[in-house]
Amino acid sequence: MTDTGLSAAERFQAARVRSRSRNLELFRADLRFDLDAFQFAACDALDQGRSVLVAAPTGAGKTIVAEFAIWLAMRQPTAKVFYTTPMKALSNQKYAELVEAYGESEVGLLTGDTNVNPRARVVVMTTEVLRNMIYADSDLLDDLAWVVLDEVHYLADRFRGAVWEEVILHLPTEVRLVSLSATVSNAEEFGDWLQTVRGDTDVIVSEDRPVPLEQHVLVGNKMVDLFDSSGAAATNRVNPELLRLVGGGSRNDSRGGHRGRRGRGGYVDRRGPRTEKLHREHIARMLDERMLLPAIFFVFSRNGCDQGVRQVLRSGVSLTTREERNEIRETAEYHCRTLLDEDLAVLGYWEWLEGLERGVAAHHAGLLPAFKEVVEDLFQRKLLKVVFATETLALGVNMPARTVVLEKLEKFNGEARVPITPGEYTQLTGRAGRRGIDVEGHSVIQWTDGLEPQAVASLASRRTYPLNSSFKPTYNMAVNLIEQFGRQRTREVLETSFAQFQADRSVVDLARKVRSQQESLDGYQRSMACHLGDFTEYAALRRRLSDLERTNVPGGREASHGARQERQSQITEVRRALQRHPCHACPDREAHARWAERWYKLKRVNDKLVQQIRSRTGAVATTFDRVTDVLVQLGYLVPSANDASAGPDGELTVAAGGRRLQRIYGERDLLVAECLEAGVWKDLTPAQLAAMAATIVYQPRREDAPGTEHALPRGAFRPALDETLTIWSRLDDVERDARLSGSQPPTPAIAVGMFRWASGSALDDVLRSLDLAAGDFVRWCKQVIDLLDQIKNAGDPELAETARRATDAVRRGIVAYATV
């Protein structure tokens, strides 16, 4: 930033900022580029000792703020920084970057799988590792000055989001936070909460993309702009040429939309000329000819990604030079050098390598981690030209492209095909445009029959990505917090969660709506007032009569003669009461009745809102109380010896079983603790224990289509599985009695495959028996290893030794190669 062109007052203010932020000026002097306004504001806040929340688009350069926090810490004698990420792949990537900047001696890595230099000044870790450190009161927290929460919008993740809130709530108060988020529409709300629970926090929001986005639509083989680019046009006005191409013309209304029955996500039911979709290989050639590569094709299924690669390869497309092909081969061979020759064919290595050499690859969760690392490395080095990826890439590692292609604007969510949201669209297209390389990024929507132009334009122009809490108390959380704070203090802490903060704010809106509707109710009540008597009472009799007559029709459920007689007797009694009521003789009776019906319908709506208010006030603490009740009933928590008070408000102490539960994390923490307590796994062999761990952690998805449950391991496994399922059933009853949601029963669907793998079977045999992709198999193996490590720490010595041997048996071959 220079002072050229500034007024005298502005120059004076700039000089004051520079003198106040000497650290920031020194940091800027070493950069190869100047800071953007939002980067400067965030770094300046850090230099003043404040925490920050930075919300900015993908690729805007948020990490420079984290780098400044590290720079500040390294200028102090002992200060430490923890850099947390939501995924191990991101942790590995950030670790490599920081090692290059500060050297191996100053940087550590903790991901569960990997433990490298944990006492370093700068330690990269997954967020769960930090959460576990906090609960264990680890001495690694000593001298901690800064914590970077990268991708903090993962707080909204349904399965893992609570971890971010636990970290924010329970970190020592003197630790400052650098929270980095994608663009969210309620950043100020999240920042208000951070200010409440962490103290001085600045919220810095940038809506500006570092590289402008040009948005196109591919109709057949013709690519046109989505928006009208004429000078007088509004920015979100649909391009008239697009309307003409898709058969708009005279069939469009004044807003540029089709006159037809509009469905969700901009789809309409219309008759008209069908648009032939261009094949993927032709799109790749077109983008190449227009200098719009490299490109990411977002395909919302793994199978679709793999098909895309095969289609391009079958067409003979090659997008690389001889020099690039040589470099690609060297990179792939280096990363995969430890894979066994017999595994390479099973993994489809040669076909995969052919695609890489021609500049084409897939990227999804089913891919072997080593293969994904190669794809990411080659794409970042501009050696890969086309990648077919699932939407997880939009929230993952740093892989910007010149162009993003969206084949569809809807995806399968596990139950049905649903339109993508404006927030998802923003995340996906955020990959388009490489800072410092591209003047502009490009998004290409492939036109599909049934799309409605104006709805597509609305999707592409809105920027709504709300951050909503997914926090809820767990059994492990309860015993850890009660151990640290006691019962009452824990309730108070949980009531400060972002989940309760949002619930309380929504209560304000609901209460405003209740007050507004109450005014209408009062108006209706005045309109139905009758000078002869209480018309509310009379209207209730009319509704009672109507309900009885409706349920007394011949052939209804209560078809017995006695039931019909009883109901007829009630009808007769209500009719008499109705006729005796004073309001029955009112000449305006029917007019009053219409107002009474309106009052009744609105009253039902209003009562539901009032109930919502009651359920949201203290909702988190209420769930905590129910979790605590279950733990007391099962003996994990017991009344404190020095607290004479009884009942729900009495203080509690963590019992021996609760101390075991403190070391068990995951969806089935209580089930694992109960099985360890009962000793149902003590007779299992290492391979059987691995199979049992797979039964506990596995969560089937429709698209997985895993192996069958027949041919379960013989010996002690089957009775142990029966006992485990019995314990689960008992726990499910206890939870539902406590008004908790319960859980799905464990499934041994991949137990056979895990048993075979831990017994030394070949990869080919195991994958064939499970019908799982290699990447999925490795992912489940890592979760099995994680649970086995917990069992090793929480179980008795004999079971701990079995768990250690089981871990060694699972961590082999491609599973061992998947770690850093």
Side-chain angles (χ1 to χ4, degrees), residues 19 21 33 55 73 95 155 158 243 267 282 307 388 443 458 478 571 600 616 620 644 686 702 819:
S19 64
S21 307
F33 53 88
Y95 170 72
L155 181 144
R158 186 161 60 100
L243 296 175
Y267 287 84
H282 298 311
Q307 282 181 351
F388 293 92
S443 70
S458 176
I571 290 173
Y600 174 69
R616 292 185 188 188
V620 175
R702 289 189 184 184
T819 59

Side-chain angles (χ1 to χ4, degrees), residues 155-359:
L155 181 144
D157 184 82
R158 186 161 60 100
F159 299 106
R160 300 173 56 213
V163 175
W164 275 259
E165 285 192 54
E166 291 176 74
V167 166
I168 292 168
L169 286 171
H170 305 311
L171 268 174
T173 53
E174 67 273 13
V175 176
R176 284 158 292 177
L177 294 185
V178 180
S179 304
L180 307 179
S181 171
T183 304
V184 293
S185 50
N186 60 334
E188 287 77 11
E189 178 188 43
F190 185 48
D192 288 347
W193 175 68
L194 288 173
Q195 174 76 29
T196 301
V197 298
R198 300 295 310 177
D200 293 342
T201 302
D202 286 4
V203 179
I204 292 94
V205 177
S206 174
E207 298 281 356
D208 297 329
R209 283 178 53 98
V211 181
L213 180 66
E214 296 292 326
Q215 305 190 73
H216 315 282
V217 178
L218 184 60
V219 184
N221 62 359
K222 189 172 180 60
M223 188 186 299
V224 297
D225 292 340
L226 171 58
F227 296 111
D228 189 346
S229 58
S230 63
T235 55
N236 62 347
R237 176 181 165 186
V238 178
N239 184 358
E241 186 180 3
L242 172 62
L243 296 175
R244 180 181 57 78
L245 283 173
V246 299
S250 61
R251 288 145 53 101
N252 285 337
D253 61 24
S254 60
R255 296 170 301 160
H258 288 290
R259 291 177 183 167
R261 188 164 51 85
R262 185 180 300 176
R264 296 180 64 197
Y267 287 84
V268 295
D269 180 16
R270 66 179 177 90
R271 302 288 186 267
R274 293 186 59 82
T275 304
E276 292 296 326
K277 290 184 68 175
L278 205 60
H279 292 163
R280 289 160 170 163
E281 61 270 23
H282 298 311
I283 299 176
R285 283 197 176 100
M286 173 187 288
L287 296 178
D288 188 27
E289 291 167 0
R290 296 181 179 221
M291 305 292 289
L292 292 179
L293 296 181
I296 298 173
F297 286 63
F298 279 112
V299 184
F300 299 120
S301 78
R302 301 176 188 180
N303 188 44
C305 292
D306 294 333
Q307 282 181 351
V309 174
R310 288 194 293 269
Q311 288 165 358
V312 173
L313 294 184
R314 276 200 304 267
S315 71
V317 169
S318 182
L319 304 168
T320 54
T321 65
R322 177 182 297 177
E323 291 76 16
E324 288 174 331
R325 286 194 289 274
N326 290 337
E327 194 173 347
I328 288 169
R329 178 178 284 273
E330 288 176 9
T331 301
E333 289 177 347
Y334 174 78
H335 279 272
C336 301
R337 65 192 183 283
T338 52
L339 293 174
L340 300 176
D341 288 344
E342 57 265 31
D343 289 346
L344 293 178
V346 177
L347 298 169
Y349 174 81
W350 306 110
E351 296 83 355
W352 172 71
L353 182 58
E354 180 192 357
L356 293 180
E357 290 182 343
R358 288 162 62 178

